[in-house]
Amino acid sequence: MSAPVTDTTALRAAGFDPAKPEDAIAAVAARVSRWGRWGADDVLGSLNLLTAAKRLEGAACVRRGVAFSLSQPFDAEGPQRGWRRRTNPVHTMLDTGREALDGEFPHGLGGADDVIAMPLQCSTQWDGLGHIFDHGRAWNGRAAADVVTSAGDRVTGIETAAAHLAGRGVLLDVGRVLGDERGELPDAYPITADDLEATHAAHGVAVGEGDLVCVRTGQYARTRREGWGGYAGGPAPGLSFTTADWLHDTGIAAVATDTWGVEVRPNEFDDAFQPLHQIAIPHLGLFLGEMWDLDALADDCAADHIHDFFLTAAPLRITGAVGSPVNPIAVK
């Protein structure tokens, strides 16, 4: 079976040549870059837009008290195939119920302990601001070599975001609105700004500054039915490169999807790798969430026709990390 081919209609309509990704990236970066917007020392990027007022708005979205975990499992059966040495988690028990019988502790006390070894981006996670660079420049125009060293991200490590990723969440179920009868978009489908606008209009929900936007494509639902296949890095529906202006103009604080890499794969340019990342992270300062499980939440939103909620998705405070596992919780 031949690999899916990504439609470049939207890319060409926006005036970009699929053969010239570097020109397109430079043009969009010049138009949307937020370098200096919050001062030379800023480490939060788009999270500056997630204000106390926006958190109160998110809290007001709790109407029924029902909660949904948006995390995929962290286990050895995950999607990773070794690209860039990314493996699935290895979980090991240090002490079990059998060792508890050895009498190490007094008065019959027993216990179990365990350890996990894993890449920080092997399952549901955030990309931090030190994850992607543009021509050697990290978020806010800093030299990438000065920001991220062998000691980690010394400036915008993921720990700087630990207290900030909680607020109003909005689900855009593009798969359900524009996909097939199962609510799934086909692999290689480029989601455009018009698609995002049509989806939130269909849901009757607004998207605004400081929101945490979750985009469901339906690809993860397909993997649960058919197996992982090429989920990790292979063909996938996702955001078109042309959504960079939408991500900027809406002022959202973060965007997360149910796919491995947020943007459409294969990418829309002839010879490119994740060009939207090259705009979103170093220029917009935008946090990107990958491999989220949005299916149960989407079913509930479809049932009650309410697509906003309180979302808390704090990264672990791993000093100097450029990404972090997360168990996002949506509360409706």
Side-chain angles (χ1 to χ4, degrees):
M1 182 182 296
S2 59
V5 176
T6 299
D7 185 356
T8 60
T9 301
L11 193 71
R12 294 177 186 276
F16 300 125
D17 183 346
K20 297 180 178 179
E22 195 156 355
D23 290 352
I25 291 166
V28 174
R31 185 164 67 239
V32 305
S33 186
R34 291 169 172 158
W35 289 357
R37 175 173 175 177
W38 295 289
D41 297 329
D42 181 68
V43 298
L44 293 178
S46 61
L47 298 186
N48 285 287
L49 301 167
L50 209 175
T51 62
K54 177 58 67 171
R55 290 196 186 90
L56 289 172
E57 185 180 343
C61 293
V62 178
R63 305 166 178 94
R64 293 156 46 215
V66 61
F68 301 88
S69 168
L70 309 185
S71 174
Q72 296 184 14
F74 284 79
D75 59 36
E77 306 306 316
Q80 299 303 328
R81 300 184 297 170
W83 178 79
R84 296 191 74 183
R85 299 178 297 282
R86 288 185 185 175
T87 60
N88 293 312
V90 177
H91 176 224
T92 305
M93 295 306 301
L94 300 178
D95 286 303
T96 71
R98 182 167 295 278
E99 283 78 27
L101 300 176
D102 292 342
E104 179 181 356
F105 297 106
H107 49 74
L109 176 70
D113 274 326
D114 47 3
V115 63
I116 193 166
M118 64 181 185
L120 299 183
Q121 297 181 337
C122 66
S123 187
T124 307
Q125 55 98 24
W126 284 118
D127 283 346
L129 297 186
H131 179 50
I132 296 293
F133 317 123
D134 180 17
H135 290 79
R137 292 289 161 179
W139 161 244
N140 222 22
R142 301 180 179 98
D146 294 336
V147 173
V148 183
T149 71
S150 59
D153 184 340
R154 304 185 302 171
V155 180
T156 51
I158 201 73
E159 72 277 8
T160 61
H164 297 275
L165 279 153
R168 180 179 183 254
V170 177
L171 176 71
L172 299 184
D173 192 349
V174 186
R176 208 176 228 100
V177 172
L178 300 177
D180 61 18
E181 67 281 357
R182 285 176 161 149
E184 300 168 11
L185 297 174
D187 289 339
Y189 183 97
I191 299 169
T192 66
D194 286 345
D195 290 339
L196 296 172
E197 290 290 315
T199 299
H200 79 71
H203 293 334
V205 66
V207 174
E209 187 170 279
D211 284 336
L212 303 168
V213 175
C214 301
V215 177
R216 181 185 172 276
T217 71
Q219 192 196 31
Y220 181 54
R222 185 159 60 248
T223 66
R224 291 197 289 191
R225 186 174 66 251
E226 301 177 357
W228 288 116
Y231 182 82
L239 298 185
S240 167
F241 178 79
T242 61
T243 60
D245 288 282
W246 187 91
L247 296 172
H248 171 270
D249 295 348
T250 55
I252 63 174
V255 61
T257 75
D258 57 351
T259 68
W260 172 86
V262 174
E263 53 191 290
V264 65
R265 294 189 54 78
N267 301 134
E268 293 154 291
F269 295 97
D270 298 341
D271 182 20
F273 183 75
Q274 303 298 78
L276 185 58
H277 275 61
Q278 199 169 336
I279 296 293
I281 294 177
H283 287 285
L284 294 180
L286 190 67
F287 280 71
L288 302 182
E290 296 168 337
M291 296 177 279
W292 289 33
D293 178 359
L294 303 173
D295 292 335
L297 173 65
D299 288 345
D300 190 84
C301 291
D304 72 2
H305 306 291
I306 295 174
H307 286 76
D308 60 353
F309 41 88
F310 179 70
L311 177 63
T312 178
L316 302 181
R317 296 187 67 168
I318 305 170
T319 303
V322 299
S324 172
V326 64
N327 177 28
I329 303 293
V331 187
K332 293 185 68 182

